[in-house]
């Protein structure tokens, strides 16, 4: 919302008010995101205002726009949504500003001397003629120059806030200023496309909007180059491509930028010359990569090959003896493919174990842990998500970590994730076992491999028939299809698993056969509904009434609605609204907060949508403290303090306090997409079988959803949709080069 031309009618229309005054006292300031609490003097009152107002100083003159809120802890406060800062114009205000120590090296006494000497010209002298300050007794040249730099910094952030406010929020402007300092506005005016190339979180469209307002033409060469980079970034984010054929990149650039094919192709050549793009020939096709993606994929291929060559060999007779000993200890006889998997893991540096539910992958992992432990090897267990790591820990009785935690991820000064375990600080463990490998993208596999020391073994476990990673790449499938490494696919469903209709139906789906929908007394049910609105209504009724009545706490606490799509009457977006209304309606005394068209309410079920290793938690039952909430973690909102801009969420036994600036990492989780459910399991799964994009009506998506359930699956909807998904074995094609680099076709 732009606040220029604010009129009184806007108060009624948006609930927005306007206050003008000067900053009396800074109560709190978060230097990272600019969130500030201060006392502001109006004409006849002093009020507390809070919001993102970076580098505020006592004495600043403000015009703020926002709403009044009430805090049980702090009372009435004004929550700022936008603000303008005006430099003091009269002598008294200038003296107060300089006396507040806002400018480095200037305190009350020095401020009085400067005002006495230069009067209304004081600010101009400080900014443009700092050497004149050195003529005042007590001010050295060093202090004068430092004061001038400090003043320019204050002016710079003010200038940046005023210039960028139409295009970016205050927190984004803070990131821009931290990157470029007082040159921010000049750099953006000269080449606004540097914003999307160098500032995390700014996309091409927003940089292009700024460029358009500055009068830059469509055929601006910086624009074309940035647009082509954006095409590659977007194709990775939305379609999982690591690279694109040159002609397809050129075509997409022409469509996005409305330029000629010759101009786009010339820009591709220039980007290759500059080193920002790289390419590989696959047959006759020139595959174009962003330089970073090229380097990551190249490293993955080279390091996997190195690990496979360098591991120590184990004598075959020892392998047989190890297997016999484990069989005796466990009181079972391993199937032939399980024995082969154990043998290959002991013989080779890289080994892949794949297979569907109920085929005994976990049994193999347990055996390998015991064998390697008896050989004196240190072992690390890891998985891509927190929930997958937790399941791995429970299945093996050994601690498993997320890959990010194993690599000791942290953030640099610009907020970007970095891995502290890398080629310069290798992992100590000689055995690395990674589960749910279908979820690992090219960048994460590269980071993991960089941290594994030569001579160590890597055992990769995953179901290659599930959906590929959300991020760019198709790592597990590429490794398998290359034929370069030992791979065992477990096929036999063991007797105990055969009793589960979830398992047998999952395998039927994977073979392209219809699941058994007629059985009414096992763990897999089908409720026929023909219209999407009826499907949605039935899902809500199941969650609110029928399942809690029949299954009690398992349904109340362990039920998850999983959808193919976000859109439609029975997609996650609409179902989350309906389920929130049914399961957690608005009530007097129940606090809520609106954030980007979502209403978060106390009692809501929410999901963390990215790994955050820095956020603090406190364990509920013993008060132990720690850090880290992970993508896919689901919790319940315990409390919302609007005035403090805080929300408390309980994840299982970990209590986390979110600042409102972190709410972009949370979304409602009454219903989630199949992609978001990857790596997780739930006691009960309800899945709407309804109209969605043809791209989502695929066998592997359906198979992935069904295999998320531990105890029960309920399909609600149309049998023809089920049939369509089972028969559609189309997999979304991803442009990658890993299989090719490993020697595959």
């Amino acid at each position: 919302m732009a606040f220029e031309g604010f009129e009184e009618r806007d108060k009624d229309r948006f609930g927005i008010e306007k206050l003008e005054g000067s900053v009396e006292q800074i109560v709190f300031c978060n230097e990272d995101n600019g969130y500030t609490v201060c006392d502001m003097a109006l004409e006849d009152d002093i009020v507390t205002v809070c919001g993102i107002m970076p580098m505020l100083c006592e004495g600043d003159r403000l015009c703020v726009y926002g709403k009044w809120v009430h805090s049980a802890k702090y009372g009435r406060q004004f929550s700022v949504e936008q603000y303008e800062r005006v430099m003091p114009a009269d002598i008294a205000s200038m003296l107060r500003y300089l006396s507040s120590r806002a400018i480095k090296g200037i305190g009350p006494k020095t401020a009085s001397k400067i005002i006495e000497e230069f009067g209304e010209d004081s600010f101009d002298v400080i900014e443009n003629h700092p050497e004149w300050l050195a003529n005042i007794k007590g001010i050295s040249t060093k202090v004068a120059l430092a004061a001038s730099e400090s003043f320019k910094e204050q002016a710079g952030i003010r200038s940046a806030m005023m210039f960028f406010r139409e295009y970016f929020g205050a927190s984004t402007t803070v990131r821009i200023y931290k990157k470029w300092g007082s040159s921010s506005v000049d750099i953006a005016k000269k080449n606004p496309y540097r914003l999307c190339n160098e500032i995390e979180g700014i996309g091409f469209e927003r940089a292009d909007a700024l460029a358009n307002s500055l009068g830059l033409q469509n055929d601006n060469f910086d624009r074309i180059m940035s647009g082509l980079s954006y095409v590659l970034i977007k194709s990775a984010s939305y379609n999982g491509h690591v690279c694109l054929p040159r002609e397809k990149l050129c075509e997409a650039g022409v469509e996005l930028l409305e330029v000629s094919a010759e101009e786009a192709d010339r820009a591709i050549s220039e980007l290759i010359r500059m080193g920002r793009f790289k390419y590989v020939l696959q047959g006759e096709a020139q595959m174009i990569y962003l330089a970073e993606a090229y380097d990551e994929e190249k490293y993955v291929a080279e390091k996997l090959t190195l690990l496979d060559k360098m591991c120590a060999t184990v004598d075959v007779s020892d392998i047989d003896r190890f297997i016999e000993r484990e069989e005796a200890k466990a009181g079972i006889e391993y199937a032939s493919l399980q024995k082969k998997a154990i043998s290959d893991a002991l013989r080779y540096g890289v080994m892949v174990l794949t297979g569907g539910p109920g085929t005994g992958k976990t049994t193999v992992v347990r055996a390998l842990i015991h064998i390697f432990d008896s050989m004196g090897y240190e072992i690390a267990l890891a998985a891509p998500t927190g929930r997958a790591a937790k399941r791995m820990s429970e299945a093996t009785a050994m601690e498993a970590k997320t890959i990010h935690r194993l690599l000791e991820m942290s953030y640099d000064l610009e907020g970007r994730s970095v891995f502290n375990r890398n080629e310069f600080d290798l992992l100590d463990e000689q055995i690395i076992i990674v589960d749910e490998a279908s979820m690992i993208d090219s960048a994460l596999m590269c980071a993991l491999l960089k941290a594994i020391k030569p001579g160590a073994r890597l055992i990769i476990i995953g179901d290659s028939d599930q959906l590929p990673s959300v991020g760019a790449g198709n790592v597990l499938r590429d490794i398998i299809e290359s034929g370069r490494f030992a791979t065992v696919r477990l096929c036999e469903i063991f007797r105990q698993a055969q009793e589960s209709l979830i398992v047998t139906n999952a395998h039927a789906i994977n073979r392209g056969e219809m699941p058994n929908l007629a059985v009414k007394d096992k763990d897999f049910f089908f409720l026929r509904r023909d219209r999407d609105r009826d499907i949605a209504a039935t899902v809500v009724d199941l969650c609110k009434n029928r399942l809690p009545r029949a299954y009690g706490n398992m349904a109340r606490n362990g039920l998850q609605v999983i959808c193919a799509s976000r859109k439609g009457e029975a997609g996650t977006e609409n179902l989350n609204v309906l389920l929130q209304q049914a399961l957690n309606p608005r009530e007097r005394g129940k606090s809520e907060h609106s954030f980007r068209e979502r209403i978060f309410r106390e009692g809501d079920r929410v999901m963390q949508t990215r790994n955050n290793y820095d956020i603090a938690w406190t364990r509920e039952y013993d008060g132990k403290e720690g850090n880290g909430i992970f993508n896919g973690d689901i919790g319940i909102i315990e409390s919302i303090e609007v005035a403090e801009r805080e929300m408390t969420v309980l994840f299982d036994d970990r209590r986390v306090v979110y600042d409102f600036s972190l709410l972009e990492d949370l979304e409602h989780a009454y219903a989630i997409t199949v992609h978001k459910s990857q790596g997780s399991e739930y006691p009960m799964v309800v899945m709407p079988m309804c109209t969605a994009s043809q791209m989502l009506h695929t066998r592997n998506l359906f198979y992935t959803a069904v295999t998320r359930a531990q105890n029960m699956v309920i399909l609600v909807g149309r049998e023809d949709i089920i049939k369509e998904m089972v028969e559609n074995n189309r997999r979304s094609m991803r442009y990658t080069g890993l299989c090719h680099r490993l020697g595959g076709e």
Side-chain angles (χ1 to χ4, degrees), residues 591-741:
S591 185
E592 60 183 50
H593 174 67
S594 178
F595 181 82
R596 295 185 181 174
E597 299 183 356
R598 295 190 189 118
I599 296 176
F600 290 110
R601 185 175 297 141
E602 290 173 349
D604 273 345
R605 180 180 171 91
V606 292
M607 172 184 277
Q608 175 77 11
T609 59
R610 75 172 183 92
N611 292 334
N612 185 333
Y613 288 83
D614 287 341
I615 196 166
W617 52 258
T618 304
R619 197 152 63 191
E620 185 178 27
Y621 62 85
D622 63 2
K624 179 182 176 181
E625 296 180 346
N627 295 86
I629 295 296
F630 310 112
N631 183 15
D633 282 353
I634 291 177
I636 303 296
I637 298 175
E638 283 193 322
S639 64
I640 298 174
E641 299 293 340
V642 176
E644 285 78 38
R645 298 177 61 84
E646 290 180 350
M647 178 188 295
T648 302
V649 181
L650 182 64
F651 295 93
D652 296 326
D653 60 356
R654 295 163 298 158
R655 182 172 282 107
V656 178
V657 178
Y658 283 80
D659 183 89
F660 280 1
S661 63
L662 298 175
L663 295 188
E664 62 186 357
D665 297 337
L666 286 177
E667 61 182 34
H668 289 102
Y670 297 104
I672 63 175
T673 63
V674 179
H675 289 84
K676 286 293 184 184
S677 74
Q678 284 180 270
S680 299
E681 284 188 350
Y682 310 94
M684 306 178 75
V685 167
V686 175
M687 185 177 185
M689 307 303 295
C690 57
T691 306
S693 167
Q694 291 295 111
M695 294 178 61
L696 298 172
H697 280 176
T698 63
R699 183 186 302 172
N700 68 332
L701 185 139
F702 188 22
Y703 171 76
T704 301
V706 169
T707 55
R708 300 308 88 204
Q710 296 169 315
N711 302 319
M712 183 176 295
V713 170
I714 302 175
L715 306 180
V716 182
R718 292 160 46 190
E719 189 169 348
D720 64 308
I721 296 292
I722 297 174
K723 187 172 187 293
E724 181 181 334
M725 295 182 80
V726 169
E727 293 178 349
N728 182 8
N729 198 28
R730 182 188 62 80
R731 296 175 183 267
S732 56
M733 195 279 297
R734 292 190 168 194
Y735 288 111
T736 71
L738 181 58
C739 181
H740 175 77
R741 290 179 191 270

Side-chain angles (χ1 to χ4, degrees), residues 84-98:
E84 298 169 4
R85 181 161 39 183
V86 181
M87 285 298 289
D90 59 83
I91 293 292
S93 297
M94 294 171 76
L95 175 61
R96 188 160 182 273
Y97 176 77
L98 294 177

Side-chain angles (χ1 to χ4, degrees), residues 311-347:
C311 78
T313 58
V314 177
D315 190 87
V316 174
S317 61
D318 287 338
I319 293 174
D320 292 338
R321 182 168 51 84
F322 283 135
I323 292 174
E324 290 171 3
R325 187 186 67 190
E326 287 306 313
E327 286 180 323
K329 285 171 60 177
I332 60 174
E333 182 179 352
Y334 297 130
S336 59
L337 283 175
Q338 288 180 311
K339 290 180 181 180
K340 177 172 172 50
I342 295 169
S343 175
D344 284 356
L346 291 166
R347 292 173 60 199

Side-chain angles (χ1 to χ4, degrees), residues 217-231:
Q217 301 300 308
N218 275 5
D219 60 358
N220 177 279
F221 204 58
D222 286 322
R223 177 178 185 267
I224 298 173
M225 290 194 295
S226 293
L228 289 165
S229 297
Y230 171 71
V231 169

Side-chain angles (χ1 to χ4, degrees), residues 289-301:
Y289 294 73
L290 289 169
E292 184 178 17
Y294 173 94
D295 293 341
E296 288 169 347
E297 189 180 79
K298 181 172 181 286
Y299 186 91
V300 169

Side-chain angles (χ1 to χ4, degrees), residues 341-358:
I342 295 169
S343 175
D344 284 356
L346 291 166
R347 292 173 60 199
Y348 301 106
V350 176
M351 181 265 183
V352 180
L353 177 63
T354 187

